[in-house]
């Protein structure tokens, strides 16, 4: 059964492309990016044209030697012939250098535009997009797929353009020199073009599978590295090895399918190229014997055929790279074409001053293709209030917090900040006045200073230290090996849970927002860490509007308003004492957490006073009624 699960997980790929774009559309889109760098591209085309003209002259030198110099036994002309060939080679070498540099410049400029546009678009996408995507797949598209496009635009495309110019120049000469042989060759070329189109379709499908399997391998690697502690704690190393082996085998087989197609295609083109050599040799020899052309002209023809055959061979190889690049472009542009779920209005309001009041009016919400999470949710939060959301898991508390931060938009109803609807406010302006501390502390790789300063990028050293002190983080920071310059590792894993939370609070304090959203920051901490963080939260909540999701009821006893939620609805509201007196759902939750306490309001206030280790939050703001 375990083996079946391994195979199922290995073959499951939720990120398969939903649509297939035609090669023409993809090519035009790539060319639109290339046209942004048209000057380097046009300069490269000019160099390529000059190279093609030079190549046309080389077989003519061969013809002149055979037809003119050898019969006349003109020994004096041989040094000039040699000097001419050397000069042409030197000029061709310089032009090849310019071609290579200019096309590389063009290619890397194009890649830079694609990479930056893709990253910029990803930054604009809504949280819902990332909730439904695998990190490994996104990384594959940002890195591997963009690099695959680079293989085409930085090197191979220059070869294609050079070969096209060469073939046009040679075909033009051959038509004027001997149109009969040229027409015979033209019978062969359409066959090559037709075969290229047929195999291109098969190759593109094969490489689409290769890229998807590569993304699956990246997903597996990302999951394993991110969750290595979980894997080792359950002793599932062999299980993960089996999963990765299956993914790697799928990737290998996808590559082999593409290689098999390519291995069939290339020899066929080789045979057709040799057929063109046979045509020129046989028919040309007949023309020499009947006196229609000279031996030198036949030698020149054979030289030209070789010049044409080489580009055809190269193009068949480029076709392989082209199909891989088109598949990569398809995957990249699929992300670029994804529209954000949370859309910014063109005339969005920029907030200058925020009081911090928020209203939820008849709000309903459902995640994409899911059941409704909130039902007719109504709540008013006055400026400066601390409002706590409590309830069972899945009650919708975190969803309310995400809607308040406008990570999602309501399905129905509206949310207002200071009487201005959230959807009318620019997202940048909204987040500027809002601070979020989540249960899963999110820190970046870098120093302690860098992580605190992320709340205000232009903060001074004094401001950073002041924020750390306010969050009760300064003492532990200076005890670290390098103090504020200590590297905390990826996701801050070199710090304890309590230390990470205090850094996150310091970051928000440095930002100094008017509205704070707190997803219970003490649920998994020891008593000492909880005490320090509660003191930090007192500073954070002071003179700010706060929306806190609470799992430990001891942390929200002094909230101005406690909102009890169940199944996406508000079932109770009031202060800690009022809710205990009602003996409703809040009292049940309290009894579960403190079974040794009586839930009677007469005794609870005194007993909870002893239990609550957080300094009281003073407020004179009256508790509002629900809308």
């Amino acid at each position: 059964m375990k083996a079946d699960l391994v195979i199922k997980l290995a073959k499951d790929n939720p990120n398969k492309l939903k649509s297939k774009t035609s090669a023409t559309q993809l090519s035009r889109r790539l060319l639109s990016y290339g046209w942004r760098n048209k000057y380097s591209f046009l300069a490269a085309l000019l160099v390529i044209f000059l190279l093609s003209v030079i190549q046309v002259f080389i077989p003519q030198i061969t013809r002149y030697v055979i037809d003119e110099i050898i019969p006349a036994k003109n020994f004096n002309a041989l040094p000039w012939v040699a000097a001419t060939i050397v000069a042409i080679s030197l000029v061709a070498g310089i032009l090849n250098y310019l071609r290579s540099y200019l096309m590389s410049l063009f290619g890397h400029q194009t890649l830079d535009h694609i990479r930056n546009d893709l990253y910029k678009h990803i930054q604009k996408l809504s949280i819902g997009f990332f909730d439904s995507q695998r990190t490994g797949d996104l990384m594959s598209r940002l890195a591997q797929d963009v690099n695959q496009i680079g293989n085409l635009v930085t090197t191979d495309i220059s070869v294609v353009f050079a070969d096209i110019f060469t073939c046009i120049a040679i075909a033009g000469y051959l038509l004027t020199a001997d149109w009969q042989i040229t027409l015979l060759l033209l019978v062969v070329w359409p066959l090559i073009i037709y075969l290229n189109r047929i195999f291109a379709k098969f190759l593109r499908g094969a490489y689409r599978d290769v890229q998807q399997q590569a993304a699956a391998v990246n997903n597996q690697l990302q999951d394993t590295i991110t969750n290595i502690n979980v894997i080792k704690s359950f002793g599932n190393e062999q299980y993960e090895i089996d999963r990765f082996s299956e993914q790697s085998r799928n990737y290998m087989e996808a590559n082999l399918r593409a290689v098999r197609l390519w291995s069939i295609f290339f020899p066929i083109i080789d045979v057709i190229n040799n057929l063109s050599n046979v045509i020129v040799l046989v028919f040309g020899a007949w023309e020499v014997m009947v006196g229609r052309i000279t031996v030198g002209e036949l030698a020149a023809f054979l030289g030209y055929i070789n010049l044409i055959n080489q580009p055809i061979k190269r193009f068949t190889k480029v076709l392989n790279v082209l199909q891989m690049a088109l598949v990569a472009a398809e995957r990249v542009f699929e992300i670029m074409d994804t529209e954000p779920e949370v859309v910014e209005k063109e005339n969005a309001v920029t907030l200058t001053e925020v009081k911090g009041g928020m209203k939820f009016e008849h709000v309903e919400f459902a995640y994409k293709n899911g059941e409704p999470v909130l039902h007719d949710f109504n709540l008013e939060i006055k400026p400066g209030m601390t409002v706590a959301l409590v309830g069972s898991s899945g009650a919708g508390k975190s969803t309310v917090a995400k809607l308040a931060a406008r990570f999602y938009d309501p399905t129905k109803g509206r949310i207002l900040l200071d009487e201005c609807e959230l959807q009318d406010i620019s997202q940048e302006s909204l987040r500027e006045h809002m601070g979020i501390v989540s249960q899963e502390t999110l820190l970046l790789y870098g120093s302690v200073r860098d992580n605190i300063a992320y709340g205000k990028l232009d903060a001074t050293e004094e401001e950073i230290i002041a924020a750390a002190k306010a969050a009760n983080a300064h003492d532990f920071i200076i005890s670290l090996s390098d103090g504020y310059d200590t590297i905390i590792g990826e996701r801050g894993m070199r710090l304890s849970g309590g230390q990470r939370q205090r850094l996150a609070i310091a970051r928000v304090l440095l930002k100094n927002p008017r509205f704070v959203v707190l997803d219970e920051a003490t649920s998994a901490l020891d008593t000492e860490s909880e005490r320090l963080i509660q003191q930090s939260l007192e500073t954070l909540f002071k003179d700010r509007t706060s929306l806190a999701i609470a799992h430990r009821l001891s942390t929200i006893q002094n909230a101005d308003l406690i909102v009890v939620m169940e199944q996406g609805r508000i079932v109770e509201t009031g202060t800690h004492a009022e809710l205990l007196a009602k003996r409703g759902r809040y009292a049940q939750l309290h009894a579960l957490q403190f079974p040794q306490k009586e839930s009677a309001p007469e005794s609870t206030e005194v007993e909870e006073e002893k239990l609550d280790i957080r300094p009281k939050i003073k407020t004179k703001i009256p508790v509002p009624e629900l809308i």
Side-chain angles (χ1 to χ4, degrees), residues 379 561-564 570-575 578-579 582 624 626:
L379 178 64
L561 179 66
I562 298 174
V563 178
V564 185
I570 297 176
V571 295
E572 288 180 326
T573 60
T575 63
E578 290 170 348
L579 290 173
K582 289 181 180 179
L626 293 176

Side-chain angles (χ1 to χ4, degrees), residues 244-258:
F244 184 79
S245 296
E246 185 66 24
Q247 293 283 22
S248 182
R249 188 178 301 109
N250 290 339
Y251 182 40
M252 177 191 70
E253 290 174 354
N255 274 289
L256 289 177
R257 284 193 292 271

Side-chain angles (χ1 to χ4, degrees), residues 100-120:
S100 178
Y101 174 76
L102 289 171
M103 286 305 299
S104 294
L105 175 64
F106 161 75
H108 285 294
Q109 287 174 331
T110 302
L111 273 186
D112 185 59
H113 289 309
I114 293 174
R115 190 183 293 111
N116 286 331
D117 281 1
L118 177 59
Y119 187 79
K120 182 179 179 181

